[in-house]
Structures are given as structure tokens and as C-alpha cells.
Amino acid sequence: MSDSASTSSRVRRAYEDFLSGITPTDDSVRSVVRDSWARSIQRGVDPGDVVPENDGTSMSATEFAEYRDAHPITAVRPLVQSLMLDDIADSGVVVALTDQAGRLLWVEGATDARDRAADINFVEGSMWSEEIVGTNAPGLALAVDRGVQVVGPEHFAGAVQEWSCAAAPVHDPITGHVIGVIDVTGGREVAAPFALAAVRSVVAAVEREMQSRAVDLADPSTFLAESGARLTVLGGAYRWRRAGDGTPERALSRRHAEILLLLQAYPEGLNTEQLAVMLAEDGVDPVTVRAEISRLRRDLGTDVVESRPYRLTVALVSDVSEIRDRIAGGGDLSAVIDVLGRGGLLAESSAPGVAEMFEELREDLRSRIIAEGDVAALRKWTSSAHGRDDLAAWRRLEHRLPPGHPDRPVVGGRIRLLDKRYGV
């Protein structure tokens, strides 16, 4: 049995156990999926629904058309089309844009693919929030506010378990609020790791486009006054520099660097309990969280973080966000490998939220390196601490090297060694 088939069978058994009242306690199913199943049960979602129901909101065809045309995500639809639709025209998948509540505003792709999607009511105007449908990529991306992939039996509704999907939220560049989701839905091809990396790449391009439009429309003096701050956490000491106020660069404690990095990753804000869980495996006492925020404001300025929820009030650029943008935008991946190799806060922190961020960055980088197949990047990845045991990357490198290349025997030997070591 292949790895993917084995994983699918394991998840399906965990799903059936879950519906029987047995909560999986091992790693048979990812925690983000298990938590979503639990929320789905709590909200009364019926896993046996053949077609997910609408949320009951009455909206005529004319009202929906007007609502969709006025929605901010519609303005970036041409960019999404240019970046995605040409590549998937004949692949049997569909691309969807949702609003902030999970309503499908646009579903695009080949006619036969859209017809198949219609069988599960994945059509324009239908609701695909977690509250309505249960676990699915668009709804889950909105629930956790980050890119997610939901594969086959990880879906909560039984009728959807033949599908796989990858989705990521789109944020307003001014307010930081989620305005909707970009999603790719299809079959086995969407279960591959690079599908989520591709969606994240498109979201990054969309948010950059929205940012540039916002800057073009803004008063230049206002933009310069609010140009924010820079956070450096990779390599040496953790540092903060505020733009435009003449203050020198400040050194940060690890805890303050973690808080700033997490608040940057969640621009809509985090409450005390959420931040506590992201800072320590067993959580941090709420009093400690509030005290750290108080010290952070004292050190950096009272206007840096607002409360209820905690969120940044200055535009923040970090070396981590720059890496994320470079991965998404197809920048020099070899350089990104070098930067990640320095470690810094991502490698040193034991905070679960930061560790998850590091894991996501590495997986996004790995997926793009393997998908693009650049020999130089593959060489650097497989010689790095992150990729030296990455069997898929070694195989991709072997495939990219021409017959007779002097390195092919070495690469083949490493593949045989990893096959033997991991029993693949």
C-alpha cells in the first residue's frame, strides 16, 4: 500500500472512530483537523448530509450579483485568474474565491470540473464555512486564519470525502482583517504539498497588489508617518527599529520577540488565552501575558500594541515575513535556505506558535523547491540540515540530473540509503 493510501486509510478509521465517540489520541489525524471535527460536532453539523445546506440567508440572484461585484476580493479576481486558471484549465480542479463568511463568490475552472463540484453544492452563492459544512479547506482557513489543506477523509461531510482542497485567507492591507479565501478544490492532485504552497503564493501576490493600490490611494505623508517598524529575529540578537521617530534600534527579549512575531502573523489580533497557548506548551498564566504586554509597551511605546484583542497598531516588517514573501513570490530559494539555516528565533523558540510558523515555512520552502525542480536549489536543500534526509527531494534531484551526470551515482546511493533507513 502506498504512503498516501495508508495515510488515507488511517484517517478514515480515525474519522469513523470519532463519529462513534472515540476521540483519536495518537497522530493518526492532524490536530488542526481533529479540532475542526470537534467544533463541527459541537455546532451540530450533520456528517451525513449529501449536499451541505445554505445558511438560510435569503439573497436573490440580483442581490447576490450586486453583493459579489461590490466585494473587495472581486477586484483581485483578474490577478487570480492570470496566476492560476491557465495552469489548471485541463487539470479537473476548480478555483474559488469566498467572502469573509465562507460564501463562494466565484467558482472557476473547466465546465466539467465545475459540474462535478456542483454535485456537492460547491457553487457560487453557497456557504462553505466550518459552521455550515464542517471541516473543509475554505471554512477551516477562515476558522484558523492561515493556509490549510484538507485531504479526502479529513473532510467532515461524508459526501465531500472524495475531494481534496487547499485554501488560504486574504487580508485587507490596511485593517489586517480577513476579506475572504482563495481555494483550489479537486482530486488527488490537490492532495500534493505544492498545492497549498501554490495557493499561498497567489495570496501573497494578491495582498501585495492590494497593498500597492492602497499606497497609491493614500496620502504620501500619512503613509510615511505610519511606515511602522522592522523586527529582526533570525541570526543574532532579536532587534526592533521604529521608522521615522529617531529612536535607536532596541534589543528585545526572546519573549517579546515571540509576541511581536505572533501578532504580526495574526493581524486580526489574539486574545489573552490564544496568546498564552501559543507562547508555551502548557500555556502561560493570563497575568503573565498581560504583564509581558505591559513591559513591551513600556519598552517600545504605548501605541505599538492595542488590547481586546492584542494586535499591532504599526505596520511591521520582519525578516520572517520577508522569507515568507520570497518563498511565495518565487524568489531566490537558495538564499532562503541559507537564511533558515541560521536558525535564530525560529529554531531557538519553544513557543508552539513560533514552532508551527517555522514548520510551515520549511514545508512551503520544501514544496516549492521540489515543485520547481531547480537543480541548484535542490542541491542546497539536500545538503542542508532541513533536507539532507528528504527522500522526495533526493529523488527529484536525481530526476533533474541528466543521464551520465557524474553526480547521479552519489544521488542514487543516498536514495538507496534513505530507502533502507526508512523502509520505504
Side-chain angles (χ1 to χ4, degrees):
M1 181 181 292
S2 68
D3 287 347
S4 60
S6 175
T7 299
S8 179
S9 296
R10 187 170 65 249
V11 173
R12 191 172 299 279
R13 286 195 299 271
Y15 172 78
E16 292 169 352
D17 287 345
F18 183 84
L19 295 184
S20 300
I22 304 172
T23 300
T25 56
D26 55 15
D27 60 354
S28 58
V29 61
R30 294 180 295 148
S31 61
V32 67
V33 172
R34 183 172 61 247
D35 293 345
S36 179
W37 287 353
R39 291 193 298 270
S40 302
I41 284 285
Q42 291 167 0
R43 290 164 176 158
V45 179
D46 184 354
D49 277 348
V50 177
V51 178
E53 296 179 356
N54 203 300
D55 67 342
T57 301
S58 58
M59 188 180 291
S60 68
T62 300
E63 289 171 334
F64 173 69
E66 292 175 349
Y67 170 74
R68 180 173 68 174
D69 290 344
H71 196 278
I73 206 168
T74 295
V76 297
R77 179 188 171 216
L79 178 58
V80 176
Q81 290 174 315
S82 67
L83 292 173
M84 300 193 78
L85 284 182
D86 288 345
D87 294 334
I88 68 159
D90 300 317
S91 64
V93 307
V94 294
V95 174
L97 302 181
T98 83
D99 67 4
Q100 64 277 13
R103 187 188 302 276
L104 303 185
L105 300 182
W106 301 95
V107 179
E108 305 190 77
T111 301
D112 58 342
R114 285 187 284 116
D115 287 345
R116 287 195 301 274
D119 291 339
I120 55 170
N121 201 35
F122 199 82
V123 295
E124 293 170 356
S126 64
M127 291 293 296
W128 278 75
S129 65
E130 188 183 67
E131 293 85 350
I132 301 298
V133 185
T135 309
N136 70 95
L140 185 52
L142 287 171
V144 300
D145 192 19
R146 61 181 173 87
V148 294
Q149 196 164 21
V150 177
V151 177
E154 291 181 333
H155 287 90
F156 189 73
V160 191
Q161 292 186 345
E162 297 303 316
W163 297 76
S164 293
C165 44
V170 179
H171 297 87
D172 182 281
I174 302 301
T175 66
H177 295 160
V178 174
I179 65 169
V181 159
I182 297 176
D183 167 82
V184 174
T185 291
R188 287 192 300 271
E189 62 278 358
V190 186
F194 65 79
L196 179 55
V199 172
R200 284 176 169 154
S201 176
V202 173
V203 167
V206 163
E207 291 181 339
R208 284 196 298 270
E209 173 68 14
M210 295 171 66
Q211 177 71 58
S212 67
R213 293 181 184 180
V215 171
D216 290 342
L217 295 173
D219 179 280
S221 62
T222 300
F223 179 71
L224 289 174
E226 296 178 352
S227 56
R230 176 174 180 80
L231 174 66
T232 305
V233 298
L234 301 177
Y238 316 133
R239 301 183 300 278
W240 165 277
R241 180 184 292 278
R242 185 78 173 264
D245 64 358
T247 58
E249 188 174 65
R250 300 187 65 96
L252 297 171
S253 68
R254 179 183 296 181
R255 179 50 53 83
H256 284 177
E258 290 168 341
I259 290 172
L260 289 168
L261 198 60
L262 288 169
L263 292 179
Q264 183 191 34
Y266 293 85
E268 77 287 359
L270 296 168
N271 62 35
T272 303
E273 291 73 21
Q274 290 172 320
L275 193 52
V277 170
M278 291 184 183
L279 287 173
E281 194 69 44
D282 297 325
V284 175
D285 189 284
V287 174
T288 302
V289 173
R290 289 191 284 270
E292 289 289 357
I293 294 291
S294 178
R295 284 191 283 268
L296 185 63
R297 288 171 174 150
R298 180 197 62 200
D299 293 345
L300 304 184
T302 57
D303 62 332
V304 170
V305 179
E306 69 176 22
S307 300
R308 299 182 183 177
Y310 297 125
R311 60 189 297 265
L312 293 172
T313 54
V314 297
L316 180 62
V317 174
S318 71
D319 44 8
V320 173
S321 66
E322 288 172 340
I323 283 181
R324 185 181 293 110
D325 289 345
R326 184 173 292 186
I327 294 172
D332 182 357
L333 299 182
S334 294
V336 175
I337 298 171
D338 288 336
V339 174
L340 280 185
R342 298 176 197 157
L345 182 67
L346 292 181
E348 296 164 3
S349 174
S350 59
V354 177
E356 182 175 298
M357 194 181 304
F358 192 18
E359 184 180 350
E360 289 178 353
L361 279 174
R362 283 187 298 190
E363 183 56 38
D364 287 351
L365 175 60
R366 172 185 181 272
S367 298
R368 183 163 287 281
I369 289 170
I370 293 175
E372 293 186 357
D374 178 76
V375 170
L378 284 165
R379 285 179 183 275
K380 178 156 286 191
W381 176 254
T382 51
S383 63
S384 73
H386 303 299
R388 62 168 57 103
D389 292 334
D390 188 339
L391 181 56
W394 281 105
R395 284 175 170 160
R396 180 67 163 145
L397 177 58
E398 182 183 46
H399 176 74
R400 295 291 294 161
L401 291 174
H405 192 283
D407 288 345
R408 280 183 68 95
V410 175
V411 174
R414 177 56 65 91
I415 291 171
R416 289 191 296 274
L417 177 63
L418 292 174
D419 276 339
K420 182 179 179 180
R421 180 180 300 169
Y422 297 115
V424 178

